[in-house]
Each structure stands twice: as structure tokens, then as C-alpha cells.
Amino acid sequence: MKKFIYLLPFIALTIFSCGDDDAVGDLELNFVATYDGQPVATDGTFYDYQNDQKIQFENIRFFIAEIELENNDGSSTSLSEVELINLSGKDAVTAAEGESVSFEEIKGGDYKSITFHIGLSERLNNLKPADIEATSPLQDGTYWSGWGSFIFSTVEGKADLDNDGIAEHNMVYHIGGNQSVRPKTFAGEVEIKNNKTTTLNFEIDLKDMFMGNGQPFDIEKFSAIHTETDVMEDLADRMTEAFNRN
Amino acid sequence: MNRINKISFFVLVAIVALFCDSCKPDEVDPPPPTIGDLEGINYSPTPYELPRLIDFPPMLIPEDNPMTQEGVQLGRMLFFDPILSIDSSMSCSSCHLAEKAFADGQRFSRGVQGGITDRSSMAIMNVGFKRHGLFWDGRSATLEDQALLPVEDEIELHEDWPNVVEKFKRHPDYPTKFRAAFGITDKSEITKELAGKAIAQFERTMIVGAGSRYYEIFVLNEDLPSDEEQNGFLMFTDGARGSLPDAQCFHCHAAPLFTDRDFRNNGLDSVADVADFKDYGRGRVTNFANDNGKFAAPTLWNIELTAPYMHDGRFQTLEEVIDHYASGGHWSPNRDPLMDSISLDAEQKAELVSFLKTLTDTSFINNPDFQSPF
């Protein structure tokens, strides 16, 4: 028994050293573009729109910024200031896999939600490429000096409006400008376990974006959007609504 | 000494040597023998400061290939030296001529022994800013990799790297140049990878723009554009918002690099199926069928000097290029969504050409640092 007493300090040390204060884990955010729940292939695949019209997608990419975990005490843990998610170049298989960004050595524990901007915060968007380090994801995006803004989101594709099997109508939607950023909080516990990787899955449903709760976006009237700020803001709202955590 | 004394002497020396050796700390290895034939040459590389043009992004420099004066100097020599070709008849500069903004003015470039390539030579300008691959199809991820490929291309230089490296080792200057640039201690350490690094360093210095009228007018505001240049600028950038047509150029050719560094099908060929493209371009690299027929959007800096245009040099003039884009190009399943017909009259097309010519930077092509050192 005496021997056991001598061991107590070591046992206590061992227990405390394994406590939550030292626990760290990794977090992966996975993004998949879907259309009515099905992964979107950017390989010419047609998706049903409305009135026998069909649409297909070519490029889907967007910035997310100011990515943070919200702690239960109201404070937050910053993960990254900006990431570029590119869901272009996908066939049926790789579309389902989506694209991921990872963050290492996050303090272990339970968080109540994750939040990020869809687009760039004003702080980031007011920077110019010349002022940003070469390794930043911003340098892989497109900056429009005429706007004084990065392109936050790009959704490009084509539509077959007359159901003849040929997608002759272009869809070029570029969202940018400080008025178009949309912060969004995705509620739900995020548990970071010691030496484990936690994966959070996000989906952006392009049918939701373009059909918008029964109010279809007028792709025939608006073929290319890059200057019309009111339409751009409508698209930013639609995209934000279409963005969900699974 | 008699024979027995000699043996005793050597045994004694051996024992003493063994004793001394056993006294050394076990964890310390003896230094390697110094056999380097270049070690006597000073190695003190000087950092190379790249010029920063207003609005230009910083260049991404690989950590394992920092810019040095010595590296750039070596790269310049290699770029202009026909030692890289099988018959010492051609160098990189044979298809990248200074007066053509480092393109070659040919629809399809010619290699050693008269072979003809299947694409037009790309102009080498601001290539250090590329991020999504080099060549028309982006098949090389880095400049370091890109620099190696033409040497072993059967049509281009048709040499093989082991042979080139042997030529470097036998050369009166190159071993010391490699030493100065990379600190090698022996010419046996010369590799194709070091050659690629040196050429990449030189190419990163080839930054264009500061001597252009565009830079003077639209960046430094030191002069006013002509009416034609201004109208062309507004159509190029959609800056007029309705009072002039949106020529849609800036989507793929945004300032300051005048390229989005992406790959697109710009409607050059009409095909019913993406498998029908004669040249798969990007699709050959990615094996993604929807990338067939896509090629890099080149920079428009010095576009006046880089005719003929497109990956296959099919257009001889800027006017032909603008006519093509105004038409919307030929339909194919993966023609870029940005390709659409644009209503431009003859005067507006001429104004666009006027604007494009403001991107000419003759100080770049005449820069003595970019000319042959031989």
C-alpha cells in the first residue's frame, strides 16, 4: 500500500497531462455542390431547370472568409482568414468527393457552431493583390480593378432553353463588392477530439440557388452578371440560402 | 631497418592508430574527404531583388530556388546557349526571340533538324506570376519543370539531359557558374534540376509592363490617352457601363497581368463532341474530357509583337482576333460561357486595337539583361 502511495503523484500527473487543456485535433471542412441533392458534375451533364429547360455548370468557385468556431462561452476560435473553394473540373465521382480545406491542431473540446463569410469580409476585400502575400488563397482568385473588388463567387454554365439538346444560352454569374458578402453561422456542435480529425460537410445546392423557394432566377433575362449590383445581391442571398451544413 | 624491425614498426603504428581512434567520441564521424574540384572557388551568392510594378502581385518564389544574381546569370547563359540541343544548333532563344516578345512569330515552331511542332511558341513574359501551370496546356506545374521539357522533346531540341549535363561538366565555364549559383563543390554535382532552376530564375526576371504606354497612362497617370485608346480601354474593361459595348475582354485578361492564368475553350473550333477536338489541349493533361480544346489565356502585354495568335497561330492580326471574339466563336459543347457574340462596329474594333497597343513595352524587349550574353 505504501508503494501505491508513492505512485500517486505520477498517476495524477499522467491524468492531468491528458486533460482537455492539452488536447488538439484537426478539422476538415468538405464542400460539395449539388443540384436537388445530387453532386454537380461540371462535365456537360444537364440538370432539369423549369419548363423542360435544362442547365449545366462549367465553373463553380467561391471564397469563404473569417472562418471561426464559436465556443460555448461566446468567444471564438479563428481557423483561417480566407480559403478558395473550387468545385470546377468535376465528373460524377469527383463531384461527390467535393473539395476540402483542413485546419490542424485545433484546441480540443466542444464548440457550438462554425461561422464564415460567403465571400470576403470588407477588411480582406479592401486589400489589393499587390498588398497580399504570394501564398494567400486570394492570389488564386480574380481581382477586378474596375470593381475595386475580388470576385467572391463564380458560377458559370450554359442553359438549353428550347429543349433541343444544345446548351446555347450562357450563364455567367460573378458576385463581388463589399455589399455582396454574406456571413453565415452553421449551428450544431463541433467536437474536436484529441489526435482525431473531425469532418464537417457543407453542401451548396444550385437548384435551391436558382429556383429559390419557388421563385426562379431569370437566367434568360440575366445571362451575364458582373455589374448589376441589385441582381448580384439577389444572387448572393440565394447562394447563402443554398449553403447548408449536413 | 631489417624485415623484423619493419614489421614491428608497422604493428606499433597500427596499435597506436587504433588506440587514438578508440579515444574519439563514438558519435562524431570523421569529416568526409575533400575531393571537390570547385571548392577553391568562392561561393557567396548575391540575392536578386525583383522589380515590383505598381498593382502587380508579389511573385511566388519556390523556397528551394531563391533568386540570386549568380543563378539568374547562369540561367540567362543556358537560355541562349545551343549546348542544350542535340546538334548545338538551337537554344531556348531560337523559339523565344526578344524582338517577338520572346515568342517566335511562327504559326508552328520549328525544332532541330527541321521538325515542326504542333503549337505556336508562347511568349515569355511575366511567366513568374503564373500559378496554374506552364505551356498552352499547363502540363508543367513550375517554371523549373517547364525549363526541362523542350530539351528532350523529339521535335524541339531532341537532346537528352544526361548528355547535356556531361557537356556542362566538360565546359570551361559552366562548372564554376553552377558553383557560383548553387554552391556545388564538385562538377559531378551538376544536374538537370539545377539547370532548370537557373533557367527558371532567369525567366522570373522577365517582367513586362513598366515601359508601356498603358503603365504611363493608366497606372502612373503621367499622360492622357487618345480618344481611341480611352474608348478601347472602356470597352475592354466594361468601364462605360452601357454607353459603349462591353467587349468582355477583361474577364480572361484582367489587369495588371492581363491574363486570368486559366484555361478556356474560346470557340476556335466547332465540334459536336468534346472527343472530336484535334488538339485536346488541357484535356490531355487532366484527362477530364470537358477540358478538351481548352488552352491557356495568354497575357496581352506586348500582344502587338506576338503574332500570330492562338495556340495554333491561326490569326495573323489583332483585327482577326477581335473579329473572332466579336462573333462569339464556334459552338462546341464546352465553349466557354464567356464566349458570346458582341456587337462592335469597325471603329470600335479599331479602338480596341489602339488600346491593346498601349500594352506594348519595347523597353522589355530591348532590355540588355534579356539579350544573349554570348
Side-chain angles (χ1 to χ4, degrees):
Chain A
M1 188 61 193
K2 276 185 178 177
K3 285 180 182 173
F4 178 73
I5 290 171
Y6 293 141
L7 286 173
L8 270 180
F10 298 103
I11 293 170
L13 188 66
T14 304
I15 291 171
F16 285 117
S17 69
C18 293
D20 285 348
D21 285 350
D22 295 330
V24 290
D26 299 342
L27 178 63
E28 178 185 79
L29 310 184
N30 178 260
F31 298 87
V32 174
T34 60
Y35 195 90
D36 202 15
Q38 299 304 307
V40 170
T42 55
D43 60 356
T45 301
F46 279 109
Y47 298 92
D48 291 335
Y49 191 51
Q50 61 172 348
N51 304 326
D52 294 327
Q53 296 172 336
K54 298 182 187 304
I55 56 180
Q56 58 185 204
F57 298 94
E58 180 87 18
N59 291 308
I60 306 162
R61 54 180 175 263
F62 50 86
F63 282 114
I64 57 172
E66 315 295 355
I67 308 163
E68 296 178 346
L69 288 172
E70 295 185 326
N71 304 318
N72 286 312
D73 63 2
S75 62
S76 60
T77 299
S78 178
L79 300 177
S80 171
E81 70 172 9
V82 62
E83 300 291 339
L84 178 63
I85 312 297
N86 188 351
L87 300 172
S88 313
K90 301 289 186 188
D91 59 22
V93 174
T94 54
E97 295 168 357
E99 288 292 324
S100 296
V101 290
S102 298
F103 311 102
E104 296 177 349
E105 298 191 356
I106 311 298
K107 186 181 177 189
D110 293 334
Y111 300 84
K112 67 176 183 180
S113 62
I114 184 168
T115 183
F116 51 77
H117 293 50
I118 301 168
L120 299 178
S121 58
E122 193 168 333
R123 177 183 70 84
L124 289 170
N125 194 41
N126 288 341
L127 299 172
K128 293 181 176 178
D131 307 323
I132 302 164
E133 61 185 22
T135 54
S136 169
L138 288 170
Q139 299 288 11
D140 284 321
T142 301
Y143 183 82
W144 278 4
S145 52
W147 272 3
S149 171
F150 286 88
I151 297 179
F152 295 173
S153 309
T154 296
V155 178
E156 296 173 348
K158 286 182 278 191
D160 174 10
L161 298 179
D162 54 11
N163 196 23
D164 65 353
I166 296 174
E168 68 288 308
H169 181 81
N170 291 336
M171 304 190 307
V172 177
Y173 304 123
H174 295 168
I175 302 170
N178 287 336
Q179 76 284 348
S180 298
V181 63
R182 297 290 184 271
K184 185 162 184 173
T185 296
F186 301 87
E189 183 183 273
V190 180
E191 184 182 9
I192 304 294
K193 295 179 181 175
N194 193 32
N195 294 325
K196 302 283 186 186
T197 298
T198 300
T199 300
L200 302 183
N201 295 300
F202 296 88
E203 170 185 304
I204 173 173
D205 195 300
L206 297 173
K207 185 174 184 183
D208 286 349
M209 179 174 172
F210 285 99
M211 297 297 279
N213 295 326
Q215 293 184 314
F217 181 79
D218 193 341
I219 59 175
E220 195 165 358
K221 179 180 179 183
F222 301 112
S223 176
I225 294 298
H226 58 263
T227 56
E228 301 81 349
T229 52
D230 54 338
V231 184
M232 206 184 294
E233 286 202 63
D234 177 36
L235 280 170
D237 290 336
R238 287 169 174 272
M239 188 171 186
T240 306
E241 282 297 311
F243 222 113
N244 290 294
R245 175 182 163 190
N246 293 331
Chain B
M1 278 188 281
N2 62 31
R3 181 178 172 81
I4 293 174
N5 282 345
K6 279 182 181 173
I7 291 171
S8 300
F9 175 74
F10 282 118
V11 168
L12 182 64
V13 167
I15 291 169
V16 169
L18 187 66
F19 181 78
C20 290
D21 191 56
S22 68
C23 290
K24 292 177 185 173
D26 287 340
E27 65 272 18
V28 177
D29 292 322
T34 54
I35 58 167
D37 56 6
L38 300 170
E39 280 189 310
I41 301 169
N42 183 41
Y43 171 59
S44 55
T46 309
Y48 185 102
E49 289 293 325
L50 286 167
R52 282 293 301 273
L53 274 62
I54 296 171
D55 292 340
F56 273 49
M59 195 181 288
L60 192 58
I61 308 294
E63 288 183 4
D64 66 349
N65 192 22
M67 300 285 293
T68 65
Q69 300 277 0
E70 293 78 6
V72 171
Q73 184 188 43
L74 173 59
R76 179 183 170 196
M77 289 180 69
L78 296 175
F79 185 89
F80 285 96
D81 195 337
I83 196 174
L84 297 184
S85 63
I86 190 169
D87 57 2
S88 296
S89 66
M90 294 186 75
S91 66
C92 306
S93 66
S94 301
C95 295
H96 299 284
L97 309 169
E99 64 268 27
K100 301 289 184 186
F102 297 94
D104 69 355
Q106 304 296 315
R107 181 167 183 190
F108 300 108
S109 301
R110 282 184 180 274
V112 295
Q113 301 161 339
I116 298 175
T117 64
D118 54 4
R119 292 181 189 152
S120 186
S121 171
M122 290 195 88
I124 301 177
M125 296 179 287
N126 291 341
V127 288
F129 296 105
K130 292 204 169 193
R131 296 174 75 94
H132 304 142
L134 284 300
F135 291 113
W136 283 107
D137 54 17
R139 65 184 180 275
S140 284
T142 66
L143 272 176
E144 284 76 3
D145 291 339
Q146 186 280 329
L148 302 180
L149 295 190
V151 170
E152 295 194 327
D153 186 284
E154 290 187 357
I155 294 175
E156 295 182 49
L157 302 182
H158 199 192
E159 179 58 290
D160 64 78
W161 270 109
N163 201 34
V164 174
V165 169
E166 285 306 311
K167 287 191 273 187
F168 290 154
K169 291 175 184 174
R170 293 195 302 266
H171 194 276
D173 297 327
Y174 278 126
T176 55
K177 297 290 184 186
F178 275 94
R179 161 71 176 170
F182 299 110
I184 60 172
T185 57
D186 190 279
K187 60 187 175 187
S188 64
E189 297 168 29
I190 296 175
T191 63
K192 67 176 185 179
E193 285 78 15
L194 291 181
K197 284 184 174 184
I199 295 172
Q201 285 191 41
F202 170 62
E203 291 181 329
R204 288 193 174 98
T205 68
M206 301 171 78
I207 297 173
V208 65
S212 68
R213 185 159 165 71
Y214 174 91
Y215 203 72
E216 182 184 29
I217 298 171
F218 298 106
V219 178
L220 299 177
N221 298 313
E222 291 179 346
D223 197 4
L224 293 173
S226 68
D227 289 345
E228 292 78 15
E229 290 168 341
Q230 177 66 9
N231 284 345
F233 170 75
L234 291 173
M235 287 186 285
F236 187 96
T237 58
D238 192 22
R241 307 279 160 90
S243 61
L244 283 169
D246 175 5
Q248 307 274 2
C249 311
F250 70 111
H251 292 290
C252 306
H253 298 285
L257 300 177
F258 289 95
T259 170
D260 68 352
R261 302 171 285 187
D262 210 342
F263 303 87
R264 298 175 185 278
N265 168 7
N266 59 348
L268 293 175
D269 296 301
S270 179
V271 298
D273 189 293
V274 293
D276 297 336
F277 283 107
K278 181 182 173 189
D279 186 340
Y280 277 14
R282 183 66 177 157
R284 184 71 71 196
V285 177
T286 63
N287 291 317
F288 182 58
N290 207 49
D291 282 343
N292 290 354
K294 293 184 181 180
F295 296 90
T299 180
L300 300 187
W301 285 110
N302 271 330
I303 194 70
E304 181 183 6
L305 307 177
T306 61
Y309 304 106
M310 307 296 156
H311 69 279
D312 56 5
R314 66 177 63 191
F315 299 132
Q316 295 296 317
T317 66
L318 288 174
E319 286 78 6
E320 287 179 51
V321 173
I322 290 173
D323 282 342
H324 167 73
Y325 283 115
S327 76
H330 300 285
W331 189 88
S332 62
N334 64 345
R335 183 183 64 177
D336 198 277
L338 287 162
M339 291 295 297
D340 210 347
S341 59
I342 304 163
S343 180
L344 297 171
D345 61 30
E347 185 179 2
Q348 290 163 338
K349 290 177 181 176
E351 289 169 339
L352 270 175
V353 172
S354 289
F355 169 70
L356 291 174
K357 288 182 177 177
T358 69
L359 298 171
T360 302
D361 181 354
T362 54
S363 72
F364 170 78
I365 64 170
N366 293 319
N367 187 335
D369 291 341
F370 304 150
Q371 313 304 318
S372 173
F374 300 109

